[in-house]
């Protein structure tokens, strides 16, 4: 094998791992793919652009699996995804102008994610979807305030009602979209902590809904980076192929996990990634 063939094979393996992380944690997978392809030789701006094409097939594969279980809150997806898609374009256009290859912004984002991850692990929980039939997890996204409660039905477990207001969706969508375009991250690193930590939605609904949002937000960001010439397809195509089986594995693992175990896992992994990223980016800025 020559150097390019080895690089493609290694990137394919990275794609599988990216898909698992993406679907299991509801993130774009860039937290795995970005440092990996950077180590394989991608330039900083290629690293930002080349991870985004893989987010879309990963999100589709994982979301289809979650949707069959009734765990995707499509009302929330429509709100956050639409806003995020607009700001992803703005972030992609601005990516080349950010000093330090986005290092300063990454440090700030790492701090926010670390705090939010702690909220996921140690904060109060939303309703436990393990105690609810899938058919009784109701999708509500047109109310003015957050509701996350379980009400008895007389015959068995109650119905979980989860909702996100327009203002909350706007805030989350703007942050997720800018991070998507600027840094090549799917946006789930913001959406997951926001939904599970800030809005206290059930973790499985959070992961499934975030993954669908990430897929929608990544479409315009991918197109914009492609037009700007920031995507190296030598990395992007193997990643996009590898994430598909990986996402199916990740979604299966998340669905099979107990609610509390998944919450601890998601919060701990996101927190560890955020701390490690913050340290690396801080050192690089010195």
């Amino acid at each position: 094998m020559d150097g390019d063939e080895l690089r493609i094979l290694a990137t394919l393996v990275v794609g599988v791992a990216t898909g698992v992380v993406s679907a299991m944690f509801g993130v774009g997978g860039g937290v795995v793919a970005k440092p990996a392809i950077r180590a394989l030789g991608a330039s900083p701006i290629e690293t930002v652009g080349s991870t985004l094409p893989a987010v879309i097939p990963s999100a589709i594969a994982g979301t289809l699996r979650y949707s069959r279980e009734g765990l995707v809150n499509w009302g929330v997806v429509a709100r956050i995804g639409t806003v995020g898609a607009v700001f992803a374009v703005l972030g992609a256009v601005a990516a080349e102008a950010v000093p330090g290859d986005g290092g300063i912004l990454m440090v700030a984002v790492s701090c926010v994610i670390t705090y939010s991850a702690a909220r996921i692990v140690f904060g109060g929980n939303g309703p436990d979807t393990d105690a609810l039939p899938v058919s009784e997890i109701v999708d509500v996204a047109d109310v003015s305030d957050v509701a996350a409660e379980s009400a008895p039905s007389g015959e068995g477990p109650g119905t979980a009602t989860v909702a996100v207001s327009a203002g909350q969706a706007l805030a989350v969508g703007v942050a997720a979209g800018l991070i998507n375009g600027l840094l090549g991250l799917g946006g789930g690193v913001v959406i997951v902590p926001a939904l599970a930590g800030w809005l206290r939605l059930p973790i499985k609904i959070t992961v499934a809904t975030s993954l669908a949002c990430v897929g929608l937000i990544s479409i315009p960001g991918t197109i914009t980076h492609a037009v700007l010439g920031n995507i190296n397809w030598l990395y992007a195509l193997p990643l996009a192929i590898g994430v598909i089986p990986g996402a199916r594995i990740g979604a299966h693992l998340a669905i099979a996990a107990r609610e509390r175990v998944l919450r601890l896992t998601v919060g701990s992994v996101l927190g560890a990634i955020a701390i490690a990223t913050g340290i690396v980016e801080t050192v690089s800025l010195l």
Side-chain angles (χ1 to χ4, degrees):
M1 283 188 183
D2 61 25
D4 282 347
E5 290 175 337
L6 285 173
R7 189 177 295 110
I8 290 171
L9 181 60
T11 306
L12 188 65
V13 173
V14 171
V16 175
T18 298
V20 173
V21 171
S22 174
M24 188 170 184
F25 300 146
V27 298
V31 289
V32 172
K34 276 171 62 67
I37 69 168
R38 184 77 177 98
L40 289 172
S43 69
I45 194 63
E46 285 178 343
T47 301
V48 171
S50 301
T51 56
L52 283 175
V55 174
I56 300 169
S58 176
I60 291 174
T63 299
L64 287 174
R65 180 69 180 89
Y66 284 125
S67 183
R68 288 201 298 270
E69 301 294 329
L71 293 171
V72 181
N73 188 314
W74 291 107
V76 174
V77 172
R79 288 187 171 192
I80 293 178
T82 301
V83 174
V86 173
F87 281 86
V89 175
L90 299 177
V93 171
E96 294 176 317
V98 175
D101 292 321
I104 295 174
L105 181 57
M106 278 300 295
V107 172
V109 169
S110 298
C111 293
V112 173
I113 296 173
T114 300
Y115 170 75
S116 299
R119 287 288 305 275
I120 293 174
V121 174
F122 301 110
N125 297 336
D128 187 350
T129 53
D130 290 328
L132 298 166
V134 169
S135 61
E136 293 192 3
I137 299 175
V138 179
D139 175 7
V140 180
D142 59 353
V143 298
S144 58
D145 53 9
V146 179
E149 57 187 316
S150 185
S153 62
E155 288 295 324
T159 299
T161 303
V162 294
V164 176
S165 73
Q168 291 161 335
L170 176 64
V172 177
V174 169
L178 289 176
I179 285 175
N180 179 284
L182 276 169
L183 304 175
L185 299 174
V189 290
V190 171
I191 299 171
V192 170
L195 296 185
W198 179 30
L199 304 179
R200 299 178 63 185
L201 268 62
I203 191 64
K204 290 186 181 179
I205 293 176
T206 290
V207 168
T209 301
S210 174
L211 190 62
C213 289
V214 162
L216 184 58
I217 291 171
S218 296
I219 294 173
T222 299
I223 294 172
T224 305
H225 276 292
V227 171
L228 294 173
N230 296 337
I231 297 177
N232 184 333
W233 294 101
L234 183 66
Y235 299 105
L237 287 177
L239 281 175
I241 293 170
V243 296
I244 296 174
R248 294 184 63 84
I249 295 170
H252 175 76
L253 291 173
I255 291 168
R258 296 293 300 174
E259 185 86 7
R260 182 58 182 165
V261 172
L262 183 59
R263 175 175 286 271
L264 289 171
T265 302
V266 170
S268 299
V269 170
L270 286 180
I273 291 172
I275 292 171
T277 300
I279 292 173
V280 171
E281 294 294 343
T282 300
V283 171
S284 69
L285 290 171
L286 298 177

